[in-house]
């Protein structure tokens, strides 16, 4: 989706204000250079205060005030937080999960398949769309918000699951065989005997149910999209606010949604990205999660939520808000929208602060946002619709993510898959190797010179065959431990590991363990401590690049490289510290034609990102993710620093302030 200007703004909630200040807020936003508000996605109880009684007063006032102040509006369907009367009308509307039935109070507590929920959700969506369909400054619609299945596993959902299995496996004997249900007498000899899946000890069946739950999200969003399409104009978009795996902030690929499938019903992917700040701000989350968002439609995306002040530890240092905003654009976003405009005075998110603090006065965050807004008014047409052509991609796989939640690494638990993915992604980021994300649903990876495959634990033979062909035809593969281990039902293969990739990787192994005080050492004298997982790898045709520096495991390889037909493959057989991973990757990339990598090229905290703008010119973003001034050499053609409107010669040395940046167009 192309845009004719960058979207800059915030989520706005007239409903939450302690007093009416709509006009004042719009004036402040306009002075700050903002141009877009996002509304309505969590206010069903205000829009429909009682069953069948609609009140769009708040929406009308916000939309009209936005128009007066030249603002665009994104409308969210208000379906992810149900009103109390709906919970009372249908006591079983609250989802039954592994922990029992949800209690009313928090958002996202309902069963998204419940017929009563669907009836009322459709009714409020249609009433809202009918009311708003002719409003000119509404530019798009957000489907629900951060949608998931919310663990729904009640009797009806389980009946739907069994029906899907019967369709997939007409012969119940095939079903039992595929899932290995003879183990512990879990065999199901009659579909009528199918037990409550919440109690299963069979991880294959548990993962299959999780896949089914993800399919419910895809269907739900598509269902909403079809309703919106009946009303929307051709110039209005449909999006979703996808979120990510969460630790204390956005972390990695979302385990509860097949985002590639879910995004098909949308015009443009949207996302929220939250990250550490102050001394912990690295930009890594903006990059890895933004790359996922960009990959969903293979296009620019929208940041529909990110932090202004945010949670208490996230209050940004001076300059960081601006640095973060440009980092989103350098990744391919066409918007930066804050959650939220004003800080809320009650309830669970009282300390998740917006642009304004609780006193609503101008503050340092507002003034820095105003600086961003002024700059984007001046140069925004040079920054929007950035196109990126990367030579490196990381493969993302929901099934392996689920598999490593069932069979995690030693210490990383539910985040095991994303821990491995982030291990690799962050190393590339720190070394300024830009990368895309690709779905494991694809089979042609020839657009990339290098394909990085983190912990592809569970995969079809078809996918593994595609990886083998990729290398045979000249690609360069980087794969990690626990790749090619199990099939699509999480059943461990009964041939030599890694399944179907042994020739490509030139290795095999049959033993693995959690390392305790085990170091690996490379042939050039580097070493690092291992953790979480190690495989005792034997080289067949591969060359060992590192072995275990250990009295008993020392005969086994830890890192290998193999020449295979026209390509090559690097295998990382253990999880080890970053100080060794980075030089191993840089060396491998350099040996196989990735130019411009050396110890002298910029690396974190200096981050460099590139792309092409609408004028066909090259943009080079230089970021300083540190608290002291840094210098960096401009490696592109002569151009202009758009921020200062000053010429930049090829080879010029740029000085970046603490948490500062430059954007050179050439």
């Amino acid at each position: 989706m192309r845009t004719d200007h960058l979207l800059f703004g915030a989520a706005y909630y007239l409903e939450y204000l302690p007093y009416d200040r709509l006009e004042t807020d719009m004036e402040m936003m306009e002075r700050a250079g903002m141009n877009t508000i996002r509304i309505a996605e969590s206010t069903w109880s205000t829009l429909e205060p009682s069953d069948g009684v609609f009140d769009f007063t708040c929406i009308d006032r916000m939309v009209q005030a936005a128009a007066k102040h030249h603002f665009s509006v994104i409308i969210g369907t208000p379906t992810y937080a149900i009103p109390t009367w709906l919970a009372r009308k249908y006591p079983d509307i609250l989802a039954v999960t592994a922990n029992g039935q949800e209690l009313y109070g928090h958002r996202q507590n309902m069963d998204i398949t419940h017929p009563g929920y669907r009836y009322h959700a459709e009714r409020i969506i249609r009433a809202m769309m009918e009311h708003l369909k002719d409003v000119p400054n509404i530019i798009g619609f957000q489907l629900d918000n951060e949608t998931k299945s919310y663990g729904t596993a009640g009797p009806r959902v389980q009946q739907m699951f069994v029906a899907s299995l019967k369709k997939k496996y007409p012969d119940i004997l095939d079903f039992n065989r595929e899932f290995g249900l003879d183990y512990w007498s879990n065999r199901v000899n009659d579909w009528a005997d199918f037990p409550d899946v919440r109690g299963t000890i069979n991880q294959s069946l548990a993962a299959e149910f999780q896949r089914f739950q993800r399919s419910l999200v895809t269907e739900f969003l598509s269902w909403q999209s079809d309703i919106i399409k009946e009303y929307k104009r051709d110039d209005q978009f449909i999006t979703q606010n996808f979120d990510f795996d969460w630790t204390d902030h956005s972390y990695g690929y979302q385990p509860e949604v097949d985002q590639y499938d879910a995004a098909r019903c949308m015009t443009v992917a949207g996302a929220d990205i939250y990250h550490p700040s102050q001394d912990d701000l690295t930009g890594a989350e903006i990059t890895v999660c933004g790359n996922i968002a960009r990959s969903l439609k293979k296009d620019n995306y929208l940041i529909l939520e990110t932090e202004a002040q945010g949670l208490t530890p996230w209050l940004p240092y001076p300059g960081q808000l601006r640095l973060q905003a440009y980092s989103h654009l350098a990744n391919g976003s066409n918007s930066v929208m804050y959650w939220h405009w004003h800080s809320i005075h009650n309830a669970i998110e009282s300390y998740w602060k917006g642009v304004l603090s609780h006193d609503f006065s101008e503050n340092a965050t507002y003034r820095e946002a105003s600086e961003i807004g002024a700059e984007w008014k001046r140069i925004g047409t040079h920054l929007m619709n950035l196109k990126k052509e990367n030579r490196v991609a990381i493969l993302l796989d929901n099934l392996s993510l689920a598999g490593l939640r069932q069979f995690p690494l030693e210490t990383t638990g539910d985040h095991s898959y994303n821990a491995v993915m982030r291990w690799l992604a962050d190393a590339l980021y720190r070394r300024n190797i830009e990368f895309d994300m690709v779905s494991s649903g694809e089979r042609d990876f020839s657009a990339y010179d290098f394909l990085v495959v983190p912990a592809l634990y569970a995969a079809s033979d078809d996918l593994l065959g595609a990886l083998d062909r990729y290398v045979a035809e000249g690609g360069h593969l980087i794969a990690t431990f626990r790749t090619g281990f199990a099939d699509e039902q999480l059943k461990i293969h009964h041939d030599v590991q890694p399944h179907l990739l042994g020739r490509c990787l030139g290795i095999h192994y049959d033993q693995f363990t959690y390392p305790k005080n085990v170091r690996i050492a490379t042939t050039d004298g580097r070493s690092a401590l291992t953790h979480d997982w190690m495989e005792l790898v034997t080289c067949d045709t591969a060359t060992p690049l590192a072995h275990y520096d250990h009295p008993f495991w020392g005969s086994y390889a830890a890192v290998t490289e193999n020449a295979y037909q026209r390509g090559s493959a690097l295998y990382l057989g253990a999880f080890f510290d970053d100080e060794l991973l980075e030089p191993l990757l840089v060396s491998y990339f350099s040996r196989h034609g990735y130019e411009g990598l050396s110890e002298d090229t910029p690396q974190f905290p200096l981050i460099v990102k590139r792309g092409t703008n609408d004028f066909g010119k090259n943009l080079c973003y230089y970021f300083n993710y540190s608290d002291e001034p840094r210098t960096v050499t401009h490696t592109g053609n002569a151009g202009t620093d758009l921020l200062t409107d000053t010429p930049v010669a090829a080879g010029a040395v740029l000085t970046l302030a603490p948490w500062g940046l430059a954007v050179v167009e050439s």
Side-chain angles (χ1 to χ4, degrees):
M1 188 195 80
R2 296 178 61 79
T3 184
D4 60 4
H5 65 280
L6 295 173
L7 305 184
F8 185 46
Y12 187 77
Y13 303 102
L14 177 62
E15 303 88 347
Y16 300 170
L17 288 167
Y19 63 93
D20 192 340
R21 48 175 289 117
L22 175 60
E23 183 64 24
T24 299
D25 285 333
M26 291 294 117
E27 289 174 356
M28 289 184 72
M29 287 185 182
E30 190 172 25
R31 283 202 309 274
M34 293 183 174
N35 56 36
T36 307
I37 58 172
R38 171 175 159 261
I39 66 174
E41 91 286 350
S42 60
T43 58
W44 191 344
S45 64
T46 307
L47 301 177
E48 191 178 4
S50 60
D51 192 352
V53 177
F54 302 106
D55 183 356
F56 297 113
T57 303
C58 283
I59 285 184
D60 290 343
R61 291 192 61 210
M62 288 185 284
V63 167
Q64 290 162 12
K68 176 182 175 182
H69 291 275
H70 317 292
F71 271 62
S72 299
V73 180
I74 299 171
I75 299 286
T77 61
T79 49
Y80 89 130
I82 64 173
T84 53
W85 61 260
L86 188 56
R88 176 174 55 84
K89 184 172 183 177
Y90 302 102
D92 62 338
I93 201 171
L94 298 175
V96 175
T97 73
N99 299 317
Q101 188 169 31
E102 293 280 5
L103 298 175
Y104 185 85
H106 67 88
R107 61 184 182 176
Q108 301 169 313
N109 54 11
M110 65 285 177
D111 175 2
I112 63 172
T113 72
H114 190 283
Y117 170 73
R118 287 294 185 96
Y119 169 79
H120 288 278
E122 179 171 355
R123 189 175 70 178
I124 184 64
I125 293 170
R126 289 189 182 278
M128 187 174 71
M129 293 300 297
E130 187 67 37
H131 186 77
L132 298 172
K133 61 184 174 63
D134 297 322
V135 178
N137 63 322
I138 294 175
I139 60 172
F141 300 94
Q142 176 187 303
L143 308 174
D144 201 70
N145 187 66
E146 298 178 343
T147 311
K148 304 174 191 68
S149 72
Y150 317 128
T152 185
R156 184 189 59 264
V157 171
Q158 295 205 41
Q159 289 171 8
M160 295 165 61
F161 174 56
V162 172
S164 72
L165 291 175
K166 291 167 72 173
K167 185 176 181 179
K168 192 172 181 179
Y169 302 99
D171 187 338
I172 199 169
L173 296 178
D174 291 337
F175 164 69
N176 282 282
R177 187 179 305 109
E178 282 295 307
F179 289 88
L181 292 176
D182 285 318
Y183 184 77
W184 279 10
S185 198
N186 275 203
R187 184 183 186 86
V188 181
N189 291 306
D190 190 312
W191 291 113
D193 297 333
F194 204 96
D196 190 323
V197 73
R198 293 177 298 170
T200 188
I201 51 82
N202 184 296
Q203 284 88 346
S204 300
L205 188 58
E208 183 70 13
F209 183 61
Q210 290 167 2
R211 175 157 45 185
F212 174 74
Q213 289 174 311
R214 293 194 299 272
S215 75
L216 297 179
V217 178
T218 300
E219 184 276 330
F220 176 74
L221 292 173
S222 181
W223 170 78
Q224 284 212 12
S225 178
D226 287 344
I227 297 171
I228 298 295
K229 287 174 183 175
E230 293 182 33
Y231 298 88
K232 82 171 194 72
R233 303 187 305 267
D234 290 343
D235 63 330
Q236 294 172 316
F237 61 77
I238 296 176
T239 190
Q240 218 273 326
N241 190 29
F242 287 116
D243 64 349
F244 300 95
D245 190 20
W246 185 268
T247 51
D248 293 325
H249 47 78
S250 302
Y251 185 60
Y253 195 34
Q254 172 58 249
E256 298 183 54
V257 184
D258 283 325
Q259 292 180 334
Y260 289 95
D261 290 341
R264 290 195 179 101
C265 69
M266 302 162 199
T267 317
V268 58
D272 60 43
I273 300 177
Y274 295 101
H275 47 78
S277 194
Q278 300 178 18
D279 293 338
D280 296 323
L281 177 64
T282 66
E285 289 76 25
I286 292 174
T287 290
V288 73
C289 296
N291 285 354
I292 294 172
R294 192 178 70 245
S295 75
L296 298 181
K297 303 290 287 186
K298 297 185 178 181
D299 200 357
N300 301 106
Y301 59 99
L302 300 177
I303 288 297
L304 295 167
E305 286 185 23
T306 191
E307 65 209 62
Q309 298 182 71
L311 292 176
T312 303
W314 294 350
L315 181 67
Y317 290 153
Q320 288 188 337
L321 194 75
R322 180 170 173 260
L323 177 69
Q324 292 158 196
Y326 281 92
S327 296
H328 288 297
L329 300 191
N331 231 47
S333 177
N334 271 334
S335 72
V336 171
M337 300 193 66
Y338 298 113
W339 200 91
H340 39 101
W341 169 246
H342 56 86
S343 296
I344 295 171
H345 295 76
N346 66 289
I348 192 169
E349 291 178 318
S350 295
Y351 287 89
W352 196 311
K353 294 179 68 181
V355 176
L356 300 187
S357 296
H358 294 102
D359 63 358
F360 296 112
S361 62
E362 291 190 11
N363 58 23
T365 301
Y366 173 83
R367 287 187 286 273
E368 194 165 324
S370 300
E371 182 182 357
I372 297 166
E375 288 177 345
W376 289 5
K377 278 187 175 181
R378 179 170 58 86
I379 64 171
T381 55
H382 296 259
L383 307 177
M384 63 192 187
N385 302 320
L386 187 73
K387 296 304 175 191
K388 303 179 75 69
E389 293 185 5
N390 294 323
R391 298 173 57 194
V392 181
I394 294 178
L395 186 77
L396 288 180
D397 182 55
N398 259 120
L399 185 57
S400 295
L401 192 164
L404 289 188
R405 286 166 73 90
Q406 298 293 333
F407 299 105
L409 301 177
E410 183 182 19
T411 66
T412 51
D414 282 351
H415 306 296
S416 291
Y417 176 85
N418 278 320
V420 181
M421 185 271 284
R422 285 291 302 272
W423 180 52
L424 295 165
D426 290 359
L428 298 178
Y429 171 73
R430 288 190 297 268
R431 289 296 183 139
N432 284 308
I433 299 171
E434 291 202 74
F435 57 92
D436 292 339
M437 300 293 199
V438 294
S439 167
S440 60
E442 297 190 25
R443 292 296 179 267
D444 181 3
F445 308 109
S446 60
Y448 298 98
D449 297 335
F450 298 87
L451 183 64
V452 181
V453 179
L456 187 63
Y457 179 76
S460 67
D461 287 1
D462 185 47
L463 175 55
L464 296 176
L467 296 178
D468 182 278
R469 286 193 304 276
Y470 167 76
V471 178
E473 293 170 2
H476 302 290
L477 179 73
I478 300 170
T480 77
F481 52 91
R482 304 198 80 174
T483 288
F485 203 86
D487 68 13
E488 292 175 285
Q489 280 72 46
L490 304 194
K491 288 191 306 180
I492 296 171
H493 291 294
H494 50 77
D495 57 352
V496 175
Q497 297 288 4
H499 179 66
L500 292 188
L501 290 178
R503 286 193 311 147
C504 169
L505 296 171
I507 62 163
H508 72 274
Y509 68 91
D510 55 28
Q511 291 187 309
F512 43 82
T513 189
Y514 296 145
K516 302 296 181 185
N517 300 315
V518 178
R519 298 190 70 84
I520 65 172
T522 64
T523 53
D524 61 1
R526 298 175 185 262
S527 71
L529 189 67
T530 61
H531 56 88
D532 275 293
W533 192 267
M534 60 177 284
E535 295 164 353
L536 305 183
V537 173
T538 297
C539 290
D540 299 324
T541 59
T543 300
L545 301 183
H547 66 278
Y548 295 109
D549 187 7
H550 190 272
F552 303 108
W553 309 134
S555 62
Y556 294 102
V559 180
T560 66
E561 182 177 341
N562 190 49
Y564 180 62
Q565 297 187 36
R566 294 166 53 195
S568 71
L570 181 72
Y571 189 70
L572 309 176
F575 211 158
F576 50 85
D577 290 344
D578 295 336
E579 70 261 20
L580 180 56
L581 176 64
E582 289 185 33
L584 279 170
L585 291 177
V586 167
S587 177
Y588 181 74
F589 276 82
S590 297
R591 286 197 303 276
H592 296 288
Y594 195 101
E595 297 178 356
L597 286 177
S598 71
E599 293 300 322
D600 297 327
T601 53
Q603 54 188 287
F604 184 83
L606 289 171
I607 294 299
V608 183
K609 295 194 175 187
R610 304 176 191 276
T612 305
N613 67 14
D614 276 350
F615 299 101
K617 295 187 176 183
N618 297 321
L619 288 189
C620 190
Y621 286 83
Y622 296 101
F623 299 108
N624 177 15
Y625 273 93
S626 78
D627 59 0
E628 58 186 42
R630 302 270 178 165
T631 59
V632 63
T633 301
H634 173 53
T635 56
N637 296 327
T640 302
D641 183 348
L642 295 175
L643 299 178
T644 60
D645 196 27
T646 57
V648 177
V653 176
L654 305 173
T655 299
L656 305 180
W659 313 110
L661 68 144
V663 185
V664 179
E665 181 184 61
S666 61

